[in-house]
Amino acid sequence: MRVVKKICINCPAGCHLEIIDDNNTVKVSGNRCQRGVKYAENELRNPCRVVTAAILADSEPRCCIPVKSSAPVPVKLIRTLLDDLSKMRIRLPVAVGDKIIRNFHGTDIDIIATGGHE
Amino acid sequence: MKIYNVDIAVIGGGAAGLTAAAKCAELNSQVMLIERNEISGGVLNQCIHSGFGLHYFKEELTGPEYAARLTEKVENSAVQIMTSCTVTNINPAENGNILTVFSGKYGIFEVNAKAVILAMGCRERCRGNLGIPGERCAGIFNAGFAQQLINLGQYLPGKKAVIVGSGDIGLIMARRLMWNNIQVQCVIEIMPYPAGLSRNIAQCLEDFDIPLYLSHTVTKIHGSKRVEAVSIAPLKNGAADLQNERKIECDTILFSVGLVPENELSRQCGIQLDPLTNGAITDSNLMTSVKGIFACGNVLHVHDLVDFVSLEAERAAESAVKFCRNELADGTFIPAVPGENVRYVVPSRVLQQGHKHFFLRSSKVMDSALLEVKNPSGENIFSRKLRYVKPAEMIAFELEDFSADSLEISLKEL
């Protein structure tokens, strides 16, 4: 049984959570809404984060396309994702919402353009 | 010289300007939006992280997505957008303000606007403002500029960084640097509490085990051609405790030490500024001390959430449109002053009648506080209990009709 302190990152409120991890049960306090409970459970079992990045376009003059993951990515896969993205060059034109990578490493998570360019 | 005649001219095409211009057009006013960059969006274009739009669009968006939504609204409306155009002068007048505008595309032209909405945003404070000893070596950046370099061009500023200032820009950049394989040694903060959101302390510092040194100051920058290290010291009785000074190796320093509203134009045309906000003194119509000139967004006061910028910009637009139609609510404006534990209140002058919006910032971190609005006799006009009050998070509230000669807005620690 251990007590873990975590700040919830779901919204700007940033509630300071106190999580009691007792093998199979998780008790959460300090949350101002129900999303904090789900967040606490995930933090203990499988922490994930939304990843955003800027990828170079395959064009002159130099420009970048901002992207985001369609869902939070398991933390242990983030370095691999970022390394893959840094090696990519995006072919223009790109529109907001275009899928740059589909189903990254079998996670069902896509990498989506958040900015467009001609 | 070409002269454009419009109802409303909006200066600045970032979050505030785009929202205000779209609203003016929605209310059938003839509006021109003047933006000095090639594209609109302002600082949103470089804020590629998410966390925007939860209130305004009921969705969590990245900065560019938020900007795209606003730009789409503007482009699908009757707003006349002039990009790569810089307003260099405002000449206020009874029958119409004359703006002088410089641009490579159109040359010099004038805009005759019945009303003007200022939405120029902010620029960053820099190392020079802090007077930190050391040479002017390469490797010293403002956090926002480093963000522009990385997010708009993938130009990496260095290999090993120290970040000065724990405001949201500094925290977001700590994560951005780490994600780009740049080692962040630490974040230094002069106050005894972090300047940014707790959420960012978690996802930008704790996630990466980056130490945050509160109540610390930078005492020297080492290096000649390029930064080699910084010296930092804890504060003791308000001054650097040099006995406990230590050196931290780095080749890059990012300064996140405050934003300054860009009010050159405001000063030039005689608008009165509030030293507490560095923005214009406004009334509850968001009108400045110059009739027909309104202000909103970061140029008025530095916001934390872009959603509040958009809401404020809509109100400025509504006021500007009413002004053009001689329908703006008038009357005796009474002062709204900051009281105990309140650093500033916007607006500074309010009408007793009508629905009014207030924004304020606390000067202290308080777990529980009572927001109180009192008249000069000390009688309570409005109160609300608040939790987790901190200077980093702006507080908003609204008032209906009331009767008083002045208002004092304070936060009592519970």
Side-chain angles (χ1 to χ4, degrees):
Chain A
M1 136 115 163
R2 57 176 180 141
V3 180
V4 179
K5 287 201 169 159
K6 285 266 171 188
I7 296 170
C8 179
I9 63 169
N10 273 319
C11 83
C15 297
H16 289 247
L17 306 175
E18 198 181 80
I19 313 168
I20 301 174
D21 182 14
D22 201 350
N23 280 336
N24 286 326
T25 54
V26 174
K27 264 211 220 85
V28 185
S29 60
N31 52 312
R32 277 180 267 178
C33 84
Q34 268 307 105
R35 292 163 75 200
V37 177
K38 196 82 193 104
Y39 179 77
E41 287 166 358
N42 286 336
E43 273 304 276
L44 297 180
R45 311 292 172 237
N46 179 27
C48 298
R49 298 284 185 265
V50 170
V51 174
T52 59
I55 310 184
L56 281 168
D58 183 16
S59 77
E60 289 296 316
R62 188 184 179 98
C63 80
C64 287
I65 303 299
V67 299
K68 76 174 177 193
S69 59
S70 58
V73 176
V75 165
K76 47 189 183 301
L77 284 177
I78 293 181
R79 183 38 57 194
T80 308
L81 172 59
L82 291 170
D83 287 346
D84 286 355
L85 292 175
S86 70
K87 295 191 191 97
M88 286 179 74
R89 296 290 178 267
I90 294 189
R91 182 149 294 164
L92 299 180
V94 167
V96 177
D98 282 357
K99 294 195 176 140
I100 308 301
I101 299 179
R102 281 164 205 273
N103 188 10
F104 175 72
H105 276 233
T107 57
D108 265 334
I109 299 171
D110 301 322
I111 306 303
I112 304 171
T114 57
H117 203 284
E118 307 279 282
Chain B
M1 189 183 316
K2 181 150 173 112
I3 301 179
Y4 294 87
N5 291 299
V6 298
D7 290 334
I8 301 169
V10 179
I11 307 180
L18 285 169
T19 307
K23 191 57 158 179
C24 290
E26 193 189 308
L27 297 171
N28 296 315
S29 266
Q30 205 196 354
V31 55
M32 176 187 280
L33 175 65
I34 309 168
E35 162 58 44
R36 69 185 175 196
N37 258 338
E38 275 177 46
I39 53 170
S40 56
V43 83
L44 286 169
N45 293 328
Q46 67 187 60
C47 291
I48 67 172
H49 52 281
S50 70
F52 307 91
L54 274 165
H55 300 274
Y56 196 64
F57 289 114
K58 305 272 181 282
E59 268 186 77
E60 180 153 351
L61 302 172
T62 60
E65 287 170 308
Y66 194 103
R69 299 269 178 107
L70 295 179
T71 303
E72 195 187 344
K73 238 197 220 176
V74 167
E75 283 173 355
N76 290 336
S77 72
V79 175
Q80 194 175 6
I81 312 166
M82 309 289 275
T83 52
S84 304
C85 290
T86 303
V87 178
T88 55
N89 195 280
I90 303 176
N91 196 354
E94 265 305 321
N95 49 347
N97 308 283
I98 309 283
L99 277 57
T100 309
V101 188
F102 274 58
S103 88
K105 266 198 280 193
Y106 311 105
I108 307 173
F109 61 92
E110 285 183 344
V111 180
N112 185 348
K114 296 194 193 111
V116 177
I117 301 177
L118 305 176
M120 297 87 79
C122 287
R123 61 166 168 276
E124 302 180 271
R125 278 175 89 224
C126 61
R127 178 263 184 108
N129 293 120
L130 304 182
I132 299 176
E135 297 183 52
R136 296 193 329 196
C137 21
I140 302 176
F141 300 85
N142 283 331
F145 181 58
Q147 185 182 57
Q148 192 182 90
L149 289 174
I150 298 178
N151 293 344
L152 301 184
Q154 275 302 109
Y155 293 110
L156 303 184
K159 298 197 172 67
K160 205 186 265 188
V162 164
I163 298 180
V164 180
S166 66
D168 287 321
I169 305 171
L171 299 178
I172 291 290
M173 283 311 291
R175 177 176 60 179
R176 185 55 61 201
L177 293 183
M178 292 295 286
W179 273 353
N180 277 281
N181 283 319
I182 300 170
Q183 181 59 31
V184 177
Q185 302 282 64
C186 59
V187 175
I188 314 290
E189 169 57 50
I190 202 165
M191 299 301 271
Y193 50 81
L197 299 172
S198 303
R199 168 198 214 191
N200 288 331
I201 299 289
Q203 63 191 359
C204 302
L205 299 188
E206 289 176 358
D207 274 6
F208 300 95
D209 292 318
I210 297 170
L212 169 64
Y213 298 126
L214 296 173
S215 299
H216 271 69
T217 186
V218 178
T219 48
K220 185 167 180 176
I221 295 176
H222 301 269
S224 191
K225 284 210 169 119
R226 176 93 201 187
V227 175
E228 285 164 22
V230 287
S231 283
I232 68 169
L235 288 180
K236 192 165 145 183
N237 300 325
D241 174 14
L242 296 175
Q243 299 262 15
N244 287 303
E245 194 181 40
R246 62 191 188 283
K247 223 171 174 183
I248 301 182
E249 242 185 56
C250 58
D251 69 356
T252 305
I253 307 172
L254 260 52
F255 281 100
S256 163
V257 291
L259 296 175
V260 180
E262 283 208 49
N263 276 303
E264 276 66 43
L265 280 174
S266 317
R267 284 191 196 92
Q268 170 268 307
C269 68
I271 289 172
Q272 274 186 299
L273 299 184
D274 182 348
L276 294 173
T277 57
N278 286 317
I281 292 175
T282 53
D283 61 27
S284 36
N285 291 321
L286 293 178
M287 191 158 80
T288 66
S289 59
V290 172
K291 239 176 144 195
I293 303 188
F294 301 81
C296 59
N298 272 357
V299 81
L300 176 57
H301 58 133
V302 179
H303 286 254
D304 328 306
L305 297 183
V306 73
D307 303 71
F308 288 173
V309 166
S310 287
L311 293 171
E312 190 173 73
E314 283 190 349
R315 291 190 286 120
E318 283 159 359
S319 293
V321 169
K322 286 196 181 130
F323 176 83
C324 291
R325 297 174 186 161
N326 286 319
E327 290 165 13
L328 196 58
D330 207 353
T332 314
F333 287 89
I334 59 117
V337 290
E340 186 192 8
N341 292 328
V342 173
R343 188 141 59 85
Y344 73 77
V345 177
V346 167
S348 338
R349 303 162 61 236
V350 295
L351 287 171
Q352 296 186 75
Q353 308 320 110
H355 190 78
K356 293 157 286 287
H357 294 253
F358 291 85
F359 281 128
L360 64 128
R361 273 196 199 276
S362 163
S363 52
K364 200 175 158 189
V365 175
M366 296 182 276
D367 196 59
S368 258
L370 186 66
L371 168 65
E372 289 178 302
V373 181
K374 295 196 161 104
N375 69 10
S377 324
E379 285 163 342
N380 211 292
I381 292 180
F382 172 88
S383 65
R384 179 190 290 164
K385 190 160 179 236
L386 300 171
R387 299 289 323 270
Y388 315 111
V389 172
K390 41 175 109 92
E393 286 171 40
M394 203 185 292
I395 296 162
F397 72 94
E398 294 162 47
L399 277 187
E400 296 298 337
D401 297 3
F402 66 87
S403 184
D405 289 335
S406 72
L407 293 178
E408 190 193 70
I409 294 138
S410 58
L411 289 163
K412 188 164 81 176
E413 184 154 26
L414 297 175

